[in-house]
Amino acid sequence: MGFAPVKALVEVTDRSHWPREALIGLRLISPDDPSCAGIDREASLTDAAQAEDRIRFFLRDRLTRNFRDVGKAWLSAVGPCAVEVIHAELLDDGSRLFLETLATLPGPGAEVRLRMGAGDTPVTAHAPENPREETVDRLLAQVGTLPEADLDRLYEEAVQYLSVGDSWTAERILRRIQPHHDLPKVWGRLGLAHTMQGRTLEAEFCYLRWREDPDPVGVAGADYALSMLYARHHPEHLRSLDRTAEYLEHGYAALDRVDDGDDRDLTFHRVFNRNGYALVEFRRGRVDAAIEHLTAGISKLRSGNAVHRMHQTVLIYNLAQCYRRIGRVDDAIETYRELLGVDGKMPEYHMELAQCHMSNEQFDDALTSLLRARDLGPSIPEVHSLLGYTYLQLGKTAEALDAYRAAHECDPQDVEALYDYAYLLAESGQPEEALRLARSVDTGPLPAEQAVKLLTLAAEQHARLGDLAAAHSALQDVLALTPDDPAARANLDQVAAAMA
């Protein structure tokens, strides 16, 4: 099973006083940890969804956010420290990503050392015993001789891991059982695991195998998964709205082949499909048609059961996005408020409402929504970036600087967050720190627009600090990227004149 080193680290702390967001993140790493019992009451519908009801699954950015929340709570308990991992060559992907995230947390945090082989340091932390995981390991060890009931039990365990976000453990289980349990549903979940890891070509292969399911509901599920690869998840050069639409229409037609006596919730499946088609209409600029699909779907999902309530929030969110697209900001605000009435614990919803208020220049209202989003999701970089902008509009520069710093610390690899923080440092009379940040990024691999912004900022700080030669060099780099930029040419001429 995955995350054994991380579970060993977590086990040395008392989690009873960890904040809610850290316990929500801990469910991904150690879903059986007693500290997580009852956390669903404090979580959003998305976070609290059970495996059989889950329709949203987490991609890498969401996992990293979970890891930051857990890492911060863990460090607050143990203090600055060094973490040495022996036999690092055996690390599972989830543990490696967690340790990478832990090492980048701001402040005097954790120094992470990965040692190949046994090393010479005694092991001081061990993962706790877990009867469920021990059973899974035992069954996997004899997978070739297991009866169908045990193979299906392993499949259900994989589904549970997928539902909390641990696609790596789910993939290991599914790969082991697939040769002995070669069912369309196994291929479908294996495709989902690959999608969650960004391995979309492998996911497509698996979804096509799932699509061979003789059950029309399975076909519709596979078609929806394939449609979202072509709409959202594939690399940009592989995406196609036409392919998305074709898969959705095929899946919708497949549902008409379900036997009349079938007691499954076909309303949900049909609405789920049309929600996908609303995205096609939205992307094609037919926003009114998308709104019709969404409002019809919302009206059909008023039954109140768990999966309907979850999907209702997805539809309401998408409806609000449609209103924003066509400039009906007040309608979007009311729709987001309706959404928060269904699920008020999802930080992204508060953030989106704040952006609507910002569009209307209602910055006090935007601030209220963003502070709530920050309370619910303190490791979301965009929340802090929007807070920085909002504070600036309200004339609160010190608070804006703190917010931009927090955005940068949430994701040190986010170049836009780094630029925003460095720019405001420069505007606040801290050119040395602004220059340090601007020069900390290798601009070579960056898109030209980002590189130009950072190089220009660096040139300005060099000039402010009296290093005209360095400013001249940075501006030459800018002109190499944008030779027809009159502002860059004028700045370079100005610096050259000052050097003469």
Side-chain angles (χ1 to χ4, degrees):
M1 296 301 99
F3 292 110
V6 184
K7 291 170 186 171
L9 290 179
V10 168
E11 190 65 13
V12 304
T13 63
D14 176 8
R15 280 90 67 203
S16 61
H17 300 295
W18 277 19
R20 62 175 289 281
E21 67 273 6
L23 293 176
I24 290 171
L26 183 58
R27 288 179 72 244
L28 158 64
I29 295 166
S30 186
D32 298 321
D33 192 307
S35 307
C36 300
I39 193 59
D40 287 352
R41 294 191 296 271
E42 302 298 322
S44 68
L45 291 180
T46 292
D47 286 318
Q50 300 302 304
E52 63 272 15
D53 296 329
R54 183 167 291 281
I55 57 174
R56 280 175 168 154
F57 292 86
F58 302 142
L59 303 178
R60 184 186 176 101
D61 59 343
R62 177 58 186 267
L63 302 182
T64 305
R65 165 182 147 191
N66 286 144
F67 293 160
R68 281 196 294 266
D69 289 334
V70 172
K72 286 190 291 187
W74 184 79
L75 280 172
S76 70
V78 303
C81 61
V83 177
E84 183 167 312
V85 181
I86 64 171
H87 286 298
E89 70 275 11
L90 302 178
L91 273 175
D92 61 282
D93 290 338
S95 293
R96 186 177 295 278
L97 180 58
F98 176 87
L99 292 168
E100 290 172 355
T101 305
L102 181 66
T104 61
L105 291 178
E111 177 188 352
V112 178
R113 306 167 186 160
L114 303 182
R115 304 293 188 198
M116 300 298 119
D120 54 8
T121 303
V123 176
T124 57
H126 298 270
E129 293 184 0
N130 186 311
R132 182 167 70 95
E133 293 185 350
E134 290 170 1
T135 299
V136 172
D137 282 333
R138 176 177 56 79
L139 291 174
L140 286 175
Q142 48 188 314
V143 67
T145 61
L146 292 178
E148 286 294 311
D150 283 337
L151 290 170
D152 214 48
R153 177 179 179 180
L154 287 170
Y155 167 80
E156 293 298 336
E157 291 288 355
V159 171
Q160 293 288 337
Y161 281 109
L162 284 171
S163 74
V164 298
D166 183 0
S167 61
W168 302 285
T169 298
E171 181 191 358
R172 284 195 293 276
I173 295 172
L174 291 165
R175 281 193 178 279
R176 293 288 299 279
I177 68 172
Q178 182 275 319
H180 315 283
H181 205 51
D182 191 20
L183 302 177
K185 65 179 183 180
V186 173
W187 286 106
R189 294 299 177 169
L190 190 54
L192 175 57
H194 290 152
T195 301
M196 292 167 69
Q197 297 168 27
R199 296 158 56 190
T200 59
L201 290 177
E202 293 166 89
E204 181 167 6
F205 172 82
C206 295
Y207 289 152
L208 288 171
R209 294 294 300 270
W210 180 20
R211 201 174 188 235
E212 297 171 6
D213 196 336
D215 177 9
V217 174
V219 173
D223 279 331
Y224 188 89
L226 287 160
S227 76
M228 290 301 106
L229 285 182
Y230 280 95
R232 297 180 184 276
H233 302 306
H234 266 326
E236 190 68 36
H237 67 281
L238 293 178
R239 295 182 193 176
S240 166
L241 275 184
D242 289 340
R243 295 292 298 276
T244 299
E246 288 170 9
Y247 278 123
L248 289 167
E249 293 288 49
H250 183 272
Y252 197 70
L255 293 172
D256 289 334
R257 301 200 305 269
V258 177
D259 293 338
D260 292 339
D262 197 307
D263 60 357
R264 284 177 292 184
D265 187 358
L266 297 184
T267 296
F268 165 75
H269 291 290
R270 290 191 173 100
V271 170
F272 197 79
N273 179 285
R274 292 299 88 180
N275 174 52
Y277 206 83
L279 174 62
V280 174
E281 300 284 32
F282 182 86
R283 295 265 184 91
R284 288 174 169 169
R286 297 197 286 261
V287 182
D288 288 340
I291 290 173
E292 288 182 15
H293 285 303
L294 294 168
T295 52
I298 291 168
S299 69
K300 294 175 182 176
L301 295 180
R302 300 293 189 185
S303 68
N305 67 46
V307 70
H308 279 203
R309 290 185 67 231
M310 164 69 75
H311 196 54
Q312 193 178 333
T313 63
V314 176
L315 295 173
I316 297 172
Y317 172 81
N318 291 342
L319 179 61
Q321 294 288 84
C322 287
Y323 287 141
R324 285 182 65 186
R325 167 66 72 88
I326 59 178
R328 292 169 57 179
V329 180
D330 290 339
D331 287 332
I333 288 173
E334 288 306 310
T335 305
Y336 278 122
R337 286 174 176 161
E338 178 187 357
L339 175 61
L340 290 168
V342 181
D343 184 4
K345 295 179 180 179
M346 187 78 164
E348 288 87 348
Y349 297 160
H350 292 276
M351 181 180 73
E352 296 283 353
L353 173 59
Q355 289 178 300
C356 289
H357 286 308
M358 293 163 70
S359 297
N360 278 353
E361 298 188 356
Q362 299 163 334
F363 291 107
D364 287 320
D365 291 330
L367 180 61
T368 299
S369 294
L370 287 169
L371 291 175
R372 180 59 176 153
R374 186 188 66 184
D375 290 343
L376 292 168
S379 292
I380 303 176
E382 190 177 1
V383 169
H384 295 285
S385 292
L386 292 171
L387 267 172
Y389 178 81
T390 301
Y391 277 129
L392 282 178
Q393 302 310 305
L394 294 171
K396 299 181 177 182
T397 304
E399 290 87 345
L401 197 58
D402 286 341
Y404 280 132
R405 182 182 67 250
H408 169 57
E409 290 175 346
C410 276
D411 186 0
Q413 306 305 313
D414 185 331
V415 175
E416 289 299 323
L418 179 146
Y419 175 82
D420 288 340
Y421 181 36
Y423 182 85
L424 192 53
L425 282 168
E427 293 294 300
S428 302
Q430 301 180 57
E432 295 91 347
E433 182 62 12
L435 179 61
R436 183 192 69 78
L437 282 172
R439 300 300 285 177
S440 69
V441 179
D442 178 7
T443 57
L446 295 180
E449 182 179 357
Q450 286 186 333
V452 165
K453 287 168 62 176
L454 284 170
L455 288 166
T456 302
L457 180 62
E460 291 170 351
Q461 306 324 302
H462 280 307
R464 184 179 297 183
L465 294 167
D467 190 347
L468 296 180
H472 189 271
S473 176
L475 288 169
Q476 285 181 315
D477 290 340
V478 170
L479 278 172
L481 293 168
T482 56
D484 298 324
D485 184 346
R489 172 62 63 185
N491 288 338
L492 181 63
D493 291 345
Q494 185 179 356
V495 170
M499 294 173 65

